[in-house]
Amino acid sequence: MIEAAMIWNEPNNKSHWDVEVDPDWSIFADTVIRAGQAIHAVNPAVTRVLGGMSPIDPDWVRRMRGYGALDAVDVVAVHGFPLDWNLWPIHAWPDKIAEIEAVVPDRPIWATEVGVGSFGAEEVQQFGVRRTAELLLDRVPRVFWYSLFDLPQSWGATTRHREAEGSSYYRHFYMGLIREDGTAKPGLDDYAAVADRMGLMQWFHYQDPRLDEAVAWMKRLGTKRLRTGLSWADSFRPDAIDWFDRQMEALADFDVTVTFCFTPEHLGVQPHHSSAARDPQQFADFCAWMIDRYAPARPSAVAAE
């Protein structure tokens, strides 16, 4: 059920990791090391992915290598949104991949979140799907389009960035290939043409009513791979395990990259989901628990190890 486990989401983005709590990312590196070791101990066959960085920053990767965090992962991931937030053109994708390959020639690079919104014009998104596919599908082993659904306007999106730093989060609501009312945008047909090679990245919120609809769409499109998340914070909600079980059962027909992230408020240095945990081992224990529940090692894999 789980092909890969990603450790956190966009940890060099201050909307997802509180740099005031951990300004040099040393706590994050310790968190990665503990989680990577815990995942490997439960099932060595699960690919461990360093949480997709955004922005794409080779200096940050060098810092992670210096801390020893890269020794605890198998893949380094990048996220990019050049027509919406990033200050580089979409045609620079191969150069951005090469920048990280130069720092980690010993690890594959995955593009675990790529996307183009339809806020300005849906035709722009169509171009973005086609051009991203042309630039990346033959360049890296895994590409995940963000996302299948537009974010409902009522849900809100939080950020610590100012407008000048890329907080154009009104665009965040228009990243899907399917509108909030359930109708398809023109770009969906362009995605369908490459769905067998380009995965989808879709967050499912706690008790997300869109889960079954998403599964039906992905099967109709021919999508093979999905990236989603299991929230450490959500694990403390009522009936959390029932929800996790339902989510993972629904996704059983796909190769899933699951992202482990979001600190429970009561366990953070600060009471916020982006805060470092007071005890990073507790996050590692959560990762191990989820892998044991949804991707336990087969006896042959254990014997081989």
Side-chain angles (χ1 to χ4, degrees):
M1 184 179 296
I2 294 177
E3 175 187 37
M6 177 176 284
I7 303 170
W8 216 260
N9 178 65
E10 300 186 2
N12 65 328
N13 180 329
K14 64 183 178 182
S15 288
H16 295 276
W17 187 260
D18 190 341
V19 293
E20 293 183 2
V21 169
D22 184 28
D24 61 358
W25 284 279
S26 59
I27 302 175
F28 176 73
D30 181 41
T31 301
V32 171
I33 292 168
R34 291 172 183 268
Q37 291 174 344
I39 292 165
H40 186 79
V42 175
N43 188 349
V46 172
T47 299
R48 301 162 299 171
V49 185
L50 180 65
M53 74 189 82
S54 180
I56 297 172
D57 183 357
D59 289 334
W60 183 81
V61 179
R62 291 187 185 95
R63 183 186 292 268
M64 290 299 104
R65 184 181 287 282
Y67 285 135
L70 297 190
D71 295 332
V73 298
D74 308 296
V75 170
V76 173
V78 299
H79 294 176
F81 303 91
L83 296 183
D84 290 280
W85 292 303
N86 298 140
L87 301 179
W88 45 271
I90 192 170
H91 310 289
W93 257 121
D95 296 332
K96 290 297 177 180
I97 298 297
E99 287 179 11
I100 304 304
E101 287 175 333
V103 181
V104 280
D106 54 339
R107 297 286 189 277
I109 310 302
W110 289 7
T112 50
E113 236 178 270
V114 303
V116 174
S118 62
F119 177 79
E122 291 183 344
E123 293 82 0
V124 173
Q125 186 181 61
Q126 282 188 281
F127 163 77
V129 174
R130 293 194 298 266
R131 190 62 178 135
T132 301
E134 292 167 356
L135 292 166
L136 287 180
L137 285 179
D138 294 325
R139 186 66 178 79
V140 294
R142 296 284 187 276
V143 182
F144 295 86
W145 182 266
Y146 178 79
S147 62
L148 180 62
F149 294 131
D150 275 349
L151 184 68
Q153 294 284 333
S154 61
W155 285 14
T158 59
T159 176
R160 284 195 169 93
H161 292 86
R162 297 187 301 272
E163 185 78 16
E165 297 174 316
S167 73
S168 306
Y169 260 39
Y170 53 86
R171 291 180 173 271
H172 201 82
F173 295 89
Y174 299 89
M175 303 302 292
L177 297 167
I178 298 171
R179 304 180 189 95
E180 184 179 355
D181 64 5
T183 58
K185 299 178 188 178
L188 186 68
D189 286 339
D190 297 277
Y191 169 76
V194 293
D196 60 332
R197 301 179 63 200
M198 181 185 284
L200 282 170
M201 195 288 147
Q202 181 64 56
W203 294 108
F204 294 108
H205 293 227
Y206 177 70
Q207 302 289 8
D208 197 319
R210 307 169 302 170
L211 176 61
D212 294 335
E213 184 182 0
V215 170
W217 269 111
M218 289 189 292
K219 289 183 176 180
R220 194 178 311 151
L221 291 164
T223 301
K224 305 297 185 185
R225 298 188 180 96
L226 172 73
R227 177 178 162 242
T228 190
L230 289 175
S231 165
W232 184 28
D234 281 351
S235 70
F236 289 91
R237 291 177 180 262
D239 303 319
I241 297 307
D242 289 342
W243 163 244
F244 286 170
D245 286 350
R246 178 171 175 262
Q247 178 181 345
M248 298 311 293
E249 182 179 358
L251 302 177
D253 292 334
F254 305 95
D255 292 330
V256 176
T257 293
V258 64
T259 306
F260 298 132
C261 57
F262 302 143
T263 303
E265 290 187 0
H266 67 287
L267 297 179
V269 176
Q270 294 293 328
H272 194 272
H273 70 267
S274 66
S275 174
R278 293 194 300 272
D279 179 4
Q281 185 58 43
Q282 291 181 302
F283 174 69
D285 293 343
F286 168 74
C287 295
W289 175 31
M290 292 294 98
I291 294 297
D292 185 57
R293 189 172 186 88
Y294 301 118
R298 297 178 180 178
S300 59
V302 175
E305 177 67 11

